[in-house]
Amino acid sequence: METMVNNISVEKATTSKINEVDFDNLSFGSVYTDHMLVCDYVNGAWQSPKVVPYQPISLDPSAKIFHYGQSIFEGMKAYKDESGKTWLFRPLENHKRLNKSAQRLAIPELPESHFMDGLTTLLQVEQDWIPQNPGSSLYIRPFMLASGKGFHASPADEYKFIIACAPSGAYFSGKVKVLIEEKYSRAANGGVGYAKAGGNYAGQFYPTQLAIEKGYHQVIWTDDNTHEYIEEAGAMNIFVRINDTLITGPTSDRILDGITRKSILQIAENQGIATEVRKISVSEVVAAAKNGSLKEMFGAGTAAVVSPIAAFGYKDTDYELPELENSYASQLKKYITDVQYNRSEDKFGWRYPV
Amino acid sequence: METMVNNISVEKATTSKINEVDFDNLSFGSVYTDHMLVCDYVNGAWQSPKVVPYQPISLDPSAKIFHYGQSIFEGMKAYKDESGKTWLFRPLENHKRLNKSAQRLAIPELPESHFMDGLTTLLQVEQDWIPQNPGSSLYIRPFMLASGKGFHASPADEYKFIIACAPSGAYFSGKVKVLIEEKYSRAANGGVGYAKAGGNYAGQFYPTQLAIEKGYHQVIWTDDNTHEYIEEAGAMNIFVRINDTLITGPTSDRILDGITRKSILQIAENQGIATEVRKISVSEVVAAAKNGSLKEMFGAGTAAVVSPIAAFGYKDTDYELPELENSYASQLKKYITDVQYNRSEDKFGWRYPV
């Protein structure tokens, strides 16, 4: 049965899976809610988004997503505060970045109203799915794929924009050990590294598997030309604290313009933490680890929030990071999650009510 | 109704679309045959391939192909000779390269027998679809995609291998005008450029659109660091003839190891044409164009075969290539297509009967 909510057509699922879900033991992104948002690009225009029961996507075998990798995504979360009210964190930034990715992948840009009205309507329908347990949230995955057909290597003429949701716990459990990569690369100058393009992720899996076999959790990518400069960790931007200065690499056409990354920079500056946005060489980090001035390293991203790094490996040597009381990572994580869960003042206007 | 052919299960389509197809006016890769091959990777193993009616692929919205770009493909053709017999061209090379791509994209490798038995059975079922018209062939698209579910950025646990076929005419019609790229890039050192990964293609569409708006058909990619060296054309490897020497860049982790490319090198050597496999700088090509020693440029690939380049653009200047009688491009194209269509001796053992 179809109804209209906020001018968006909503077809409700006949049964709900919610009672099968153990909200006290959520993994990351492996259980999906009862509905999804679907919006089609056909005849040269994005059509009206619709909320429909969560269901398989059926595509012709010649759909260009299967052959030419025309796909992009975003990662977001919905947070429930103690009163049961739902909040998003800087969602307009996700919409802007989605369109930046779309442009680079030759996918038609999506109007802001399709994104925001579709998203908020979906979240209203799925409000019972948004966890209230500490550390849990509803992970939101907006994505676009080329559904148009043809074996000619050229942009598709039809696309799908979909939002699916998964109540989720932590992305990483425990402290993370990373390997600074010396051989493989994530992104080329003039390439698509700054876009949240599907192909950027698949290319990381094999080198990451090799790192996992050596006992690491994640790879820290370096520039493809010299492997001398730290770029990002694939699912996270990277911050380094040397003495009391917090340093992160500049965004570029190789590095994702992370929303958590830029929020952290703003919080740090506001809190009186010295920050530098500049290239970070591997040799600088190794030297700092050796002389004790390297206090912290952490990853920052929507899924992982702020993820402290316990040790890094480079050229067959492991370097342990100290365990600090009141680390920048813990301060910044607290600040950002307090805003997200509506536990503190929203000085920067980042919270968005659903 | 299911039967067994060569130990492969075959479920025949109840009706055929073949009478709707105009075999005298085929475009490239836009009409599909009645059947396809499907093979699933589940529970840690590739299952038996099956020929089934051509039909949509149904995937969960969280299937990793949609999010993380885990997809690879191959391009092949089946040729019918004058007696109606069907031939493939070096198909084992496609299988080997498929597995090289699979390894780099963290997709499980496919056994040779699954590939070859599945392919030949499909082609036997589809033999009426293989065009006999001059210049036409059955384009064959083997591809693999991550069907396993989850929003965690890690390799999928389930995959699909599919072969679909499309009776096709020429990939390019007429002569090709290319733009040597100065800003965007196709591949990173240590990246996935040598793999036939979906993501490598999507990243080319936007820069190619910009080139098309300027009046070119294709981009010639240069190295991402200096843009000083010619790499490949995305859907083709590039050959340059300076005086009487045929030059192509070395394969690397950025450049596809093209089967047409290496066949051309072997034919040229056998025909007494001087060849060089070495880095080609843009400045060398521009200088040769200016002093008249640049005789030919052409692309080489399965889809385009040998595709002469009429002109190239670089730094806002266009350079026309001369029109030669008995060009290397025309000699090599004739040699290779004569082998493919069983019109000449198969000196190198490249023809493969179906």
Side-chain angles (χ1 to χ4, degrees):
Chain A
M1 201 193 66
E2 209 171 305
T3 55
M4 296 300 283
V5 180
N6 311 329
N7 264 326
I8 303 275
S9 152
V10 174
E11 185 199 337
K12 280 283 190 81
T14 48
T15 56
S16 175
K17 299 166 293 189
I18 198 163
N19 291 327
E20 300 161 25
V21 178
D22 178 1
F23 279 84
D24 293 323
N25 292 291
L26 290 169
S27 63
F28 186 87
S30 55
V31 172
Y32 313 100
T33 66
D34 291 326
H35 301 87
M36 63 191 201
L37 185 85
V38 179
C39 183
D40 288 316
Y41 182 90
V42 288
N43 301 323
W46 285 106
Q47 309 298 309
S48 300
K50 292 180 182 188
V51 174
V52 297
Y54 188 86
Q55 61 193 275
I57 301 169
S58 178
L59 295 170
D60 194 83
S62 71
K64 295 204 178 192
I65 172 68
F66 295 139
H67 306 274
Y68 303 123
Q70 252 192 313
S71 71
I72 56 173
F73 70 93
E74 278 297 318
M76 312 172 70
K77 286 176 176 172
Y79 311 89
K80 213 170 236 182
D81 70 19
E82 287 194 348
S83 74
K85 189 157 170 40
T86 299
W87 300 92
L88 292 164
F89 183 75
R90 310 186 76 177
L92 295 167
E93 295 290 324
N94 292 98
H95 172 258
K96 264 193 253 172
R97 191 173 56 188
L98 183 76
N99 277 348
K100 269 193 203 170
S101 300
Q103 190 195 39
R104 185 62 182 85
L105 276 291
I107 296 174
E109 294 179 33
L110 183 77
E112 185 184 292
S113 58
H114 284 54
F115 185 88
M116 290 306 300
D117 297 350
L119 173 63
T120 50
T121 305
L122 177 65
L123 292 176
Q124 284 165 19
V125 171
E126 300 297 56
Q127 56 182 313
D128 293 343
W129 283 90
I130 304 169
Q132 223 165 348
N133 317 35
S136 294
S137 57
L138 187 72
Y139 183 75
I140 303 165
R141 173 56 61 89
F143 61 106
M144 278 188 192
L145 59 94
S147 50
K149 304 194 287 181
F151 291 153
H152 202 285
S154 54
D157 57 357
E158 296 187 356
Y159 297 86
K160 281 185 181 295
F161 170 65
I162 294 170
I163 305 180
C165 301
S168 293
Y171 192 85
F172 289 113
S173 49
K175 286 211 165 186
V176 180
K177 198 175 159 188
V178 298
L179 179 66
I180 298 182
E181 182 62 50
E182 298 165 57
K183 180 181 172 189
Y184 294 101
S185 306
R186 179 183 169 277
N189 297 298
V192 304
Y194 70 95
K196 281 189 88 73
N200 286 338
Y201 293 79
Q204 299 180 54
F205 291 169
Y206 176 67
T208 302
Q209 279 182 334
L210 298 179
I212 288 170
E213 285 165 18
K214 291 183 191 165
Y216 301 94
H217 299 97
Q218 279 263 307
V219 168
I220 296 198
W221 300 102
T222 49
D223 67 290
D224 81 307
N225 189 38
T226 66
H227 295 291
E228 257 303 304
Y229 294 94
I230 284 176
E231 307 236 292
E232 56 153 286
M236 308 187 289
N237 293 107
I238 290 292
F239 284 81
V240 172
R241 174 182 172 185
I242 296 180
N243 293 317
D244 288 340
T245 302
L246 194 58
I247 314 167
T248 193
T251 55
S252 70
D253 58 7
R254 296 187 312 272
I255 299 180
L256 190 81
D257 184 10
I259 295 163
T260 311
R261 173 189 173 279
K262 63 186 171 194
S263 302
I264 283 175
L265 285 172
Q266 226 175 316
I267 297 165
E269 279 158 34
N270 185 267
Q271 301 287 92
I273 295 173
T275 60
E276 290 178 8
V277 177
R278 61 164 173 84
K279 287 170 88 174
I280 309 168
S281 71
V282 181
S283 47
E284 175 184 9
V285 174
V286 169
K290 285 180 178 166
N291 70 25
S293 61
L294 182 68
K295 304 294 186 197
E296 295 182 53
M297 284 175 79
F298 56 84
T302 295
V305 197
V306 174
S307 190
I309 290 167
F312 72 88
Y314 182 63
K315 290 200 194 291
D316 299 320
T317 304
D318 278 0
Y319 300 87
E320 305 279 331
L321 277 286
E323 293 222 27
L324 299 187
E325 299 265 322
N326 200 27
S327 64
Y328 285 178
S330 64
Q331 290 176 51
L332 292 162
K333 182 173 183 178
K334 181 173 188 314
Y335 192 107
I336 214 162
T337 52
D338 281 352
V339 173
Q340 289 169 337
Y341 288 91
N342 191 25
R343 294 188 295 244
S344 68
E345 190 200 344
D346 179 21
K347 199 176 292 187
F348 304 108
W350 289 339
R351 252 189 326 255
Y352 187 100
V354 174
Chain B
M1 203 192 66
E2 212 171 302
T3 55
M4 296 301 283
V5 180
N6 312 328
N7 265 326
I8 304 275
S9 152
V10 174
E11 184 197 337
K12 280 284 190 81
T14 48
T15 56
S16 174
K17 298 166 293 188
I18 199 165
N19 291 326
E20 298 161 24
V21 178
D22 178 0
F23 279 83
D24 293 323
N25 292 290
L26 291 168
S27 63
F28 186 87
S30 56
V31 171
Y32 313 101
T33 65
D34 291 326
H35 301 87
M36 64 191 199
L37 186 84
V38 180
C39 182
D40 287 317
Y41 182 90
V42 289
N43 301 322
W46 285 107
Q47 309 299 308
S48 300
K50 292 179 182 186
V51 174
V52 297
Y54 188 88
Q55 61 193 277
I57 301 169
S58 178
L59 295 170
D60 195 83
S62 70
K64 294 204 178 190
I65 172 68
F66 296 138
H67 306 275
Y68 302 124
Q70 253 192 312
S71 71
I72 55 173
F73 70 93
E74 278 295 319
M76 312 172 70
K77 286 177 176 171
Y79 310 89
K80 214 171 237 180
D81 70 19
E82 286 195 348
S83 74
K85 187 156 174 40
T86 299
W87 301 91
L88 292 164
F89 184 74
R90 310 186 77 178
L92 296 167
E93 294 290 324
N94 292 98
H95 172 258
K96 265 194 253 171
R97 190 172 59 188
L98 183 77
N99 276 349
K100 270 193 202 169
S101 299
Q103 189 195 40
R104 185 62 184 84
L105 276 291
I107 296 173
E109 294 180 32
L110 183 77
E112 186 184 291
S113 58
H114 285 54
F115 185 87
M116 290 306 300
D117 296 350
L119 174 62
T120 49
T121 305
L122 177 64
L123 291 178
Q124 284 165 19
V125 171
E126 299 299 53
Q127 55 182 314
D128 293 343
W129 282 90
I130 304 169
Q132 224 166 345
N133 318 34
S136 294
S137 58
L138 186 72
Y139 183 74
I140 303 165
R141 173 55 63 87
F143 61 106
M144 279 188 192
L145 59 95
S147 49
K149 304 194 288 181
F151 291 154
H152 203 285
S154 53
D157 57 357
E158 296 186 357
Y159 296 86
K160 280 184 182 294
F161 170 65
I162 294 170
I163 305 179
C165 302
S168 293
Y171 192 84
F172 288 113
S173 49
K175 287 211 163 186
V176 180
K177 199 175 159 188
V178 298
L179 179 66
I180 297 181
E181 183 61 52
E182 296 166 60
K183 179 180 174 191
Y184 294 102
S185 305
R186 178 183 169 277
N189 297 298
V192 302
Y194 69 95
K196 281 191 86 75
N200 286 338
Y201 293 80
Q204 300 180 53
F205 291 168
Y206 176 66
T208 302
Q209 280 183 333
L210 298 180
I212 288 170
E213 285 165 18
K214 291 183 191 164
Y216 302 94
H217 300 96
Q218 280 264 306
V219 168
I220 293 198
W221 300 101
T222 48
D223 67 289
D224 80 307
N225 189 39
T226 66
H227 295 290
E228 258 302 306
Y229 294 94
I230 284 175
E231 307 236 293
E232 55 153 286
M236 309 186 289
N237 293 107
I238 289 291
F239 284 80
V240 172
R241 172 180 172 186
I242 296 181
N243 293 317
D244 286 340
T245 302
L246 194 58
I247 314 167
T248 193
T251 56
S252 70
D253 59 5
R254 297 188 312 274
I255 299 182
L256 190 80
D257 184 10
I259 295 165
T260 310
R261 173 190 173 279
K262 61 185 171 195
S263 302
I264 283 176
L265 285 173
Q266 227 174 314
I267 296 166
E269 279 158 34
N270 184 266
Q271 301 287 92
I273 295 173
T275 60
E276 290 178 11
V277 177
R278 61 165 173 83
K279 289 171 84 174
I280 308 168
S281 72
V282 180
S283 47
E284 175 186 9
V285 173
V286 169
K290 284 179 177 166
N291 71 26
S293 61
L294 182 69
K295 303 295 186 199
E296 296 182 51
M297 285 176 78
F298 57 85
T302 295
V305 198
V306 174
S307 191
I309 291 167
F312 72 89
Y314 182 64
K315 290 200 193 292
D316 299 321
T317 304
D318 278 0
Y319 300 86
E320 305 278 331
L321 277 287
E323 293 221 28
L324 299 187
E325 299 265 321
N326 200 27
S327 65
Y328 285 177
S330 63
Q331 291 175 51
L332 292 162
K333 182 173 183 179
K334 181 172 188 313
Y335 192 108
I336 214 162
T337 51
D338 280 351
V339 173
Q340 290 169 335
Y341 288 91
N342 191 26
R343 292 187 297 242
S344 67
E345 190 201 345
D346 179 22
K347 199 175 295 187
F348 304 108
W350 288 340
R351 252 188 327 252
Y352 187 98
V354 174

